[in-house]
Amino acid sequence: MNDLGRLEDLPAEYRAALTKQNLVPLWPSLRALLPAGQPRPSTRATHWSYEALRPLLLRAGDLTPIEKAERRVLVLANPGHGLEKMQASAAMYLGMQLLLPGEWAPAHRHTPNAVRMIVEGDGAYTTVDGEKCPMSRGDLVLTPTGLWHEHGHDGDQPVVWLDVLDLPLVYYMEASYHVDGERQAVKPSRGDRAYARAGLVPTPVFERASSAYPMLRYPWANTRAALEALAAESSTSEAVQVTFVNPETGADAQNILGYRALMLRPGETLRLPVRSPAAVFHLIEGAAEARIGEHAFALAQSDTCCAPGFTAATLTNRFTATPAFFFIADETPLHRKLGVYEQR
Ligand SMILES: [Fe+2]
């Protein structure tokens, strides 16, 4: 592969004449835009310890009242992109959000899609499109694009959850904005109970649900039970993983990011294939090791780490008597829809 001409090889007056006309020579940047063989991600394998971030998040509760924060969040920022970019990967944003007893995060809606993976505490809820979704550890609550959502807390202990949004992508597309709203009226809803049995969907008088997001809350008790049932039925060579889907269509629960839960049996090591999308691993329960490229992270419960695309990752359950449970967020739906998905 030849070396291409550099910007500094060009006469200064020629470069100035190009700039004046809003023109840029391609060849000095061509190799960076189209690197040989595979991308060079800015996303860096990064580990966020919950033990380290928790006291800082609780201090934010003392330092900044909810009225001054609206959403009290510490962003899990990837240093490879620069912390000020506040992104975990090219398309994913991660934040740890704190809501204290009695607090209220007012209603709004926005173009980016969000999900909440609850990390600790009980008694908080998110009202999404009028449906009140209780929040307990391991529950997944969707707040898809355009749907009103607000957070309240009737319990007596702090509640923390992990927000995952496709904000960096939607912002890059210049399509990111929000609208403030009034407190929502809660409507009677069967919520997650309407889709509690796989293979069965409600069809009152032969009608399927018409909503694009029929299921907004995936309770951890159901997810964990599904993983344990799969583990009991499968051979030990088979990975125990489920995907959060739209129960009406079977498609990914949201359009841009994908969400899964993974169980590692006691002592199990799982080598993940090298794939194009970046991925985030959040440990719901247990103790694990994540090897991502050259990096090895010891993960305690509620720790989070991220892996760039095109990078080998291996997950190991460090406990030999109890399973480990991961929540995984990744960019697979986006890559598949755009036709750039690869597994090597
Ligand atoms: Fe929001």
Side-chain angles (χ1 to χ4, degrees):
M1 193 170 59
N2 338 339
D3 286 339
L4 301 179
R6 300 167 304 168
L7 201 56
E8 50 271 35
D9 298 337
L10 298 169
E13 52 71 29
Y14 176 69
R15 283 154 56 188
L18 291 179
T19 303
K20 203 171 164 204
Q21 299 302 321
N22 295 323
L23 296 169
V24 179
L26 174 61
W27 57 97
S29 306
L30 186 60
R31 297 282 190 247
L33 291 170
L34 295 168
Q38 67 175 62
R40 288 188 213 135
S42 295
T43 303
R44 229 182 266 168
T46 305
H47 171 211
W48 295 273
S49 152
Y50 189 62
E51 191 187 11
L53 78 81
R54 187 179 185 278
L56 296 169
L57 184 58
L58 290 176
R59 249 187 98 195
D62 295 332
L63 294 170
T64 308
I66 192 75
E67 298 74 28
K68 291 284 175 196
E70 210 169 283
R71 300 294 194 263
R72 193 189 291 108
V73 175
L74 294 181
V75 177
L76 282 53
N78 193 302
H81 289 273
L83 298 184
E84 70 287 352
K85 291 280 182 60
M86 295 195 287
Q87 59 192 92
S89 71
M92 289 188 286
Y93 156 105
L94 300 175
M96 280 287 181
Q97 182 157 173
L98 170 69
L99 198 66
L100 295 171
E103 286 187 337
W104 180 256
H108 71 181
R109 59 190 173 101
H110 39 70
T111 45
N113 295 274
V115 299
R116 332 284 165 190
M117 166 50 54
I118 319 313
V119 176
E120 70 165 281
D122 281 297
Y125 57 91
T126 297
T127 305
V128 190
D129 196 26
E131 179 176 332
K132 188 171 178 177
C133 300
M135 302 167 93
S136 294
R137 186 174 61 87
D139 291 350
L140 183 72
V141 176
L142 310 187
T143 60
T145 178
L147 296 194
W148 293 109
H149 56 279
E150 61 206 86
H151 312 293
H153 189 355
D154 296 332
D156 55 11
Q157 296 296 317
V159 164
V160 177
W161 64 82
L162 175 68
D163 291 317
V164 185
L165 280 80
D166 48 27
L167 176 62
L169 176 77
V170 178
Y171 182 78
Y172 178 73
M173 290 163 61
E174 300 187 339
S176 178
Y177 71 94
H178 91 281
V179 179
D180 289 323
E182 299 296 317
R183 191 179 281 242
Q184 297 171 76
V186 173
K187 57 191 181 196
S189 168
R190 292 168 298 171
D192 47 73
R193 294 186 304 284
Y195 294 98
R197 295 282 181 270
L200 297 172
V201 300
T203 53
V205 202
F206 307 100
E207 288 299 318
R208 296 283 292 266
S210 56
S211 153
Y213 302 99
M215 187 166 172
L216 296 169
R217 174 174 182 258
Y218 299 73
W220 174 233
N222 291 357
T223 311
R224 197 180 197 284
L227 290 166
E228 286 183 322
L230 276 176
E233 295 297 325
S234 56
S235 76
T236 52
S237 62
E238 208 175 345
V240 183
Q241 188 177 13
V242 294
T243 296
F244 295 97
V245 298
N246 175 332
E248 289 286 349
T249 64
D252 291 292
Q254 289 186 342
N255 285 327
I256 295 176
L257 301 181
Y259 304 102
R260 341 219 170 231
L262 170 74
M263 174 180 148
L264 294 181
R265 301 172 182 88
E268 182 177 2
T269 290
L270 180 65
R271 194 182 304 270
L272 299 172
V274 171
R275 304 182 317 135
S276 55
V280 164
F281 304 99
H282 172 79
L283 189 61
I284 299 173
E285 271 184 51
E289 184 188 66
R291 287 190 169 273
I292 299 166
E294 308 295 298
H295 303 265
F297 303 129
L299 303 179
Q301 181 170 309
S302 305
D303 281 8
T304 306
C305 66
C306 87
F310 293 91
T311 306
T314 301
L315 303 173
T316 301
N317 183 351
R318 292 195 285 135
F319 285 160
T320 51
T322 50
F325 294 96
F326 280 95
F327 169 63
I328 302 175
D330 75 2
E331 300 167 341
T332 300
L334 174 68
H335 280 224
R336 286 195 192 279
K337 288 188 175 86
L338 296 182
V340 298
Y341 182 84
E342 274 185 60
Q343 180 171 318
R344 294 195 171 179

